[in-house]
Amino acid sequence: MKKAFLLKAVFLLLLVTSHFCLKAQNLEEDTVKRDSTIISVDRPRTVFLEVGGPGLALTVNYDTRFGNQRDKWGYRVGAGYYNTGANWVASVPLQINYLYGHRSSFLELGAGTTFVRSQGSTNGSFFQFDNITGFIGTATIGYRYQQDNGGINFRIAFVPILYDEGLIAAGGFSIGYTF
């Protein structure tokens, strides 16, 4: 009996005093080693209004990058509509693009397609559209100004448009906001 009591007392003493020697993870201290040379950048997301360009008329677009960097590969998607009374055109531009540059100035290169639905009439006084429903090929070669920390941005671009009757050399200008 004394032997059992003594064993229980020693076990209890070891149990009580062991917390002074043992150490678990410290939640207040960050023990993960990180490379301090890598700068974390949030992926920029841009909303812009474009006149001309791959959307042909007036479009609202969304643009972002695939990774967490301000340049390299990304995409854009938009929707547009323009009406002159007797003529109208609706479009949905989709493009994959690549940004090359640093700080706030970038060369933008892109290629994609635009879904177009237009209705035309010879009664139009300023613009006359053909009756079209289908896809056209688009490309973009342009300049983009986009601030480091978000804010106002603008783009200007040469936009060749490829359709079943040939090639149209067009252009576009946009202004928007990066967040």
Side-chain angles (χ1 to χ4, degrees):
M1 175 94 166
K2 281 185 165 187
K3 194 173 186 181
F5 177 74
L6 185 61
L7 282 173
K8 288 180 184 177
V10 169
F11 180 71
L12 182 62
L13 182 63
L14 287 174
L15 185 66
V16 170
T17 59
S18 67
H19 82 282
F20 293 117
C21 301
L22 300 176
K23 184 176 179 181
Q25 296 175 350
N26 184 354
L27 297 178
E28 296 175 8
E29 182 180 330
D30 187 9
T31 59
V32 177
K33 303 290 185 219
R34 291 186 172 80
D35 187 357
S36 61
T37 60
I38 298 174
I39 299 171
S40 173
V41 176
D42 289 334
R43 144 181 38 193
R45 296 172 310 276
T46 303
V47 176
F48 57 93
L49 180 67
E50 185 172 43
V51 177
L56 304 179
L58 187 62
T59 56
V60 175
N61 297 274
Y62 173 78
D63 182 284
T64 191
R65 305 292 94 208
F66 288 123
N68 285 336
Q69 66 260 358
R70 298 187 62 243
D71 56 358
K72 307 286 186 252
W73 292 101
Y75 70 93
R76 66 175 273 180
V77 61
Y81 181 79
Y82 186 73
N83 188 342
T84 63
N87 301 289
W88 60 268
V89 62
S91 63
V92 179
L94 303 166
Q95 272 196 343
I96 300 293
N97 55 30
Y98 185 85
L99 297 181
Y100 176 78
H102 65 285
R103 297 199 182 193
S104 300
S105 295
F106 297 96
L107 169 67
E108 180 177 352
L109 303 171
T113 187
T114 298
F115 175 76
V116 178
R117 170 75 172 108
S118 67
Q119 188 71 40
S121 171
T122 57
N123 296 337
S125 59
F126 193 64
F127 288 107
Q128 291 184 1
F129 298 115
D130 293 332
N131 296 331
I132 298 173
T133 300
F135 290 90
I136 57 173
T138 61
T140 299
I141 304 167
Y143 171 77
R144 179 187 294 201
Y145 175 79
Q146 183 171 289
Q147 297 174 354
D148 288 345
N149 55 356
I152 300 294
N153 72 54
F154 70 87
R155 303 167 56 249
I156 188 164
F158 167 67
V159 182
I161 298 171
L162 180 65
Y163 70 116
D164 42 339
E165 294 184 18
L167 184 73
I168 299 172
F173 174 79
S174 70
I175 188 162
Y177 188 78
T178 301
F179 50 99

